[in-house]
Amino acid sequence: MPKRRSPRAFWLLIALAVVGPPILSLVLQSSPDLLQGVVQRIPEPPPVVIRPRLFVAYGALIAASTLAILYLYRGRGFVVYWIISWTMLAASYTLNARGYEDVLLGSVMIGLSQLLAVWSSALILLSVPPFAKRDRERWSIPVQAGAATAVWFLVSPFVVPLPAVLYTGGAASALLRAFASARFARIARRTPIVGAFMLSGALAVMAVLDAIGAVLAYRPEWNNSYANTLLAFTIVLSIVSALGMHLLVFEDMTDEIRRTNLALAAANEEVKRLAITDPLTGCYNRRFFDEIGRRELERHRRYGRPLSVMFVDLNRFKHLNDRFGHDTGDQVLRTLGALLQRQVRQSDYVIRWGGDEFLLLLTCTAEEGAVKAEELKAAFAQERDASSLPPDIGLSVGVAAVEESAETLSHAIRVADAEMYRDKLAERRPA
């Protein structure tokens, strides 16, 4: 068997490769003030010009890209709205990030940037119904409004002063973001979704900033003083808004997983109930008796609790089917099953044994079971008379106590079955 190489040798080689060259170069240097000279020769980092609007544009593209990746895992319509919204916002800030010497071209670019900003805010508002899983809004009104804004922002720069164009763009974005903030706040109040709180708050503050920007369009002296401050706040709020959207996607996924798990749990419970329940009478079936019988017998032996088995059988059930039909027979079985379940305690069990036979597992003595048998016969007689059934349709009941040393319920079931047939013969014997 080949000998395994020690991992220490591997890591030693890695360490030598990393620190060996610097140590070797230090040893080869002859100057005693080597370190001081090296420190003095570290150049100062050159200044970098940052264009805030391009910074916002790049951030918006990153948000759109990450949302596009999330869309691969969560293909919901509201994610598409957000992807297009961030892409439009990136294009809007890119157009505003530079100046234009050509006045005609500059007017077109400013109008287009305002149009994209307004459409970006509108898409966030339109994303609320798909996220809330409501009926989608009619597209006729958004399309008409989008066409009207396109005409205004592409034509108005040649007709009205530039501040009017900037004012309408900021005011429209402020209104749309305010409405979107209110809708997400309504979702946040209805469901405990953290992302909805974040997005609602960020959109509300951004609406205020858009409104301030719209006012500054008519006050150039204020614009020079506060433009960068507003842009800095916009950057921070854009980050919060993007985080809220990503969090909403994950919360929407986890909410669907939770609801799916609840539905699966309910389906499993229903399957389990169907597996242990007789579909005609609603009583337990013999499969359930096999499960519960062992547990009740163990409890009977350990705690000394009384346990009895009762057999119930319908007299002349075949004659009833032949005379009135199987539908009537099924109705009688359903009536008897409901009657037996009403007459026993919650700690007792009613099992449809087969055909017209029912087995009851009762936590009582044989004497108490005999009293209960007479009560069942009387109650069924009242149900029979109320349903105008033949008077010879009755119950035969047999009761047997389970011995403390019993290993199974088989002996008690045979005794109760024999007692039931003895009771049936007594009912048929002429008075």
Side-chain angles (χ1 to χ4, degrees):
M1 183 175 180
K3 185 178 180 181
R4 295 181 59 184
R5 294 182 179 180
S6 175
R8 295 182 180 179
F10 172 77
W11 290 113
L12 180 60
L13 290 176
I14 295 295
L16 289 176
V18 173
V19 302
I23 295 176
L24 183 61
S25 63
L26 181 63
V27 171
L28 295 178
Q29 292 289 337
S30 59
S31 176
D33 55 347
L34 173 65
L35 184 59
Q36 183 179 359
V38 172
V39 173
Q40 292 177 352
R41 289 198 300 270
I42 295 177
E44 181 182 356
V48 178
V49 178
I50 297 178
R51 304 172 68 177
R53 288 182 173 82
L54 279 181
F55 184 79
V56 177
Y58 292 147
L61 285 178
I62 293 174
S65 302
T66 54
L67 286 171
I69 295 174
L70 288 180
Y71 182 76
L72 299 177
Y73 300 93
R74 187 60 176 163
R76 293 286 303 279
F78 64 88
V79 183
V80 178
Y81 286 99
W82 293 343
I83 294 172
I84 301 176
S85 174
W86 283 110
T87 305
M88 288 184 173
L89 190 64
S92 174
Y93 274 97
T94 301
L95 295 176
N96 269 332
R98 52 164 295 183
Y100 298 93
E101 296 181 358
D102 189 341
V103 177
L104 179 62
L105 178 62
S107 300
V108 173
M109 293 298 103
I110 290 176
L112 182 59
S113 68
Q114 295 298 310
L115 175 63
L116 292 174
V118 172
W119 280 0
S120 174
S121 302
L123 285 173
I124 296 178
L125 178 60
L126 292 175
S127 69
V128 178
F131 176 80
K133 301 178 180 64
R134 296 179 178 177
D135 296 335
R136 297 181 179 179
E137 295 183 357
R138 297 180 179 178
W139 274 99
S140 58
I141 296 178
V143 169
Q144 293 173 5
T149 53
V151 172
W152 167 257
F153 286 110
L154 295 179
V155 175
S156 61
F158 304 101
V159 180
V160 299
L162 186 60
V165 180
L166 298 176
Y167 174 82
T168 54
S173 295
L175 289 175
L176 292 171
R177 285 176 173 171
F179 280 120
S181 173
R183 288 195 172 187
F184 279 109
R186 193 178 301 118
I187 294 175
R189 288 194 302 268
R190 189 170 61 250
T191 56
I193 301 178
V194 179
F197 282 105
M198 293 179 58
L199 189 56
S200 175
L203 289 174
V205 181
M206 291 177 73
V208 175
L209 296 180
D210 287 336
I212 296 175
V215 174
L216 293 180
Y218 283 101
R219 303 302 297 263
E221 66 278 7
W222 292 358
N223 191 15
N224 295 332
S225 302
Y226 299 107
N228 290 333
T229 303
L230 291 178
L231 192 57
F233 277 108
T234 301
I235 293 174
V236 174
L237 292 170
S238 298
I239 295 174
V240 176
S241 177
L243 291 176
M245 289 181 178
H246 287 73
L247 186 58
L248 275 175
V249 175
F250 284 108
E251 288 180 317
D252 184 67
M253 293 173 62
T254 55
D255 180 67
E256 182 172 350
I257 292 173
R258 179 186 61 83
R259 288 185 283 106
T260 303
N261 289 336
L262 290 176
L264 287 175
N268 289 335
E269 290 296 326
E270 181 64 16
V271 170
K272 182 179 179 180
R273 187 190 67 82
L274 293 175
I276 63 175
T277 304
D278 175 59
L280 178 62
T281 63
C283 301
Y284 293 117
N285 57 20
R286 295 186 66 167
R287 176 182 297 177
F288 178 77
F289 176 77
D290 294 337
E291 297 178 5
I292 202 64
R294 293 188 295 269
R295 188 179 71 186
E296 291 299 319
L297 184 60
E298 179 66 24
R299 187 179 301 173
H300 167 68
R301 290 200 305 264
R302 177 174 298 181
Y303 302 106
R305 297 177 56 184
L307 186 64
S308 298
V309 174
M310 178 184 293
F311 242 109
V312 179
D313 182 79
L314 273 169
N315 297 331
R316 298 177 179 83
F317 182 69
K318 184 177 183 303
H319 175 71
L320 177 70
N321 278 332
D322 295 340
R323 182 177 178 183
F324 297 97
H326 289 279
D327 291 339
T328 302
D330 291 344
Q331 182 60 39
V332 171
L333 289 175
R334 283 191 290 267
T335 301
L336 177 57
L339 172 67
L340 295 176
Q341 293 180 82
R342 290 196 307 267
Q343 292 294 322
V344 302
R345 295 169 296 184
Q346 291 185 350
S347 58
D348 299 331
Y349 301 95
V350 179
I351 297 97
R352 187 184 180 192
W353 200 248
D356 58 338
E357 293 180 338
F358 292 82
L359 184 144
L360 281 65
L361 195 59
L362 309 175
T363 54
C364 65
T365 62
E367 291 76 12
E368 293 172 338
V371 175
K372 174 60 70 174
E374 296 301 323
E375 294 177 356
L376 291 177
K377 289 182 179 181
F380 182 76
Q382 292 180 357
E383 293 280 348
R384 176 195 62 199
D385 297 338
S387 302
S388 300
L389 294 174
D392 55 350
I393 300 297
L395 297 182
S396 296
V397 183
V399 182
V402 179
E403 299 178 355
E404 293 185 3
S405 59
E407 295 293 333
T408 64
L409 295 174
S410 302
H411 178 71
I413 292 174
R414 286 195 298 269
V415 173
D417 192 19
E419 291 294 329
M420 182 268 295
Y421 275 105
R422 189 176 294 111
D423 187 49
K424 185 182 291 290
L425 294 176
E427 290 288 337
R428 292 178 179 178
R429 190 179 300 119

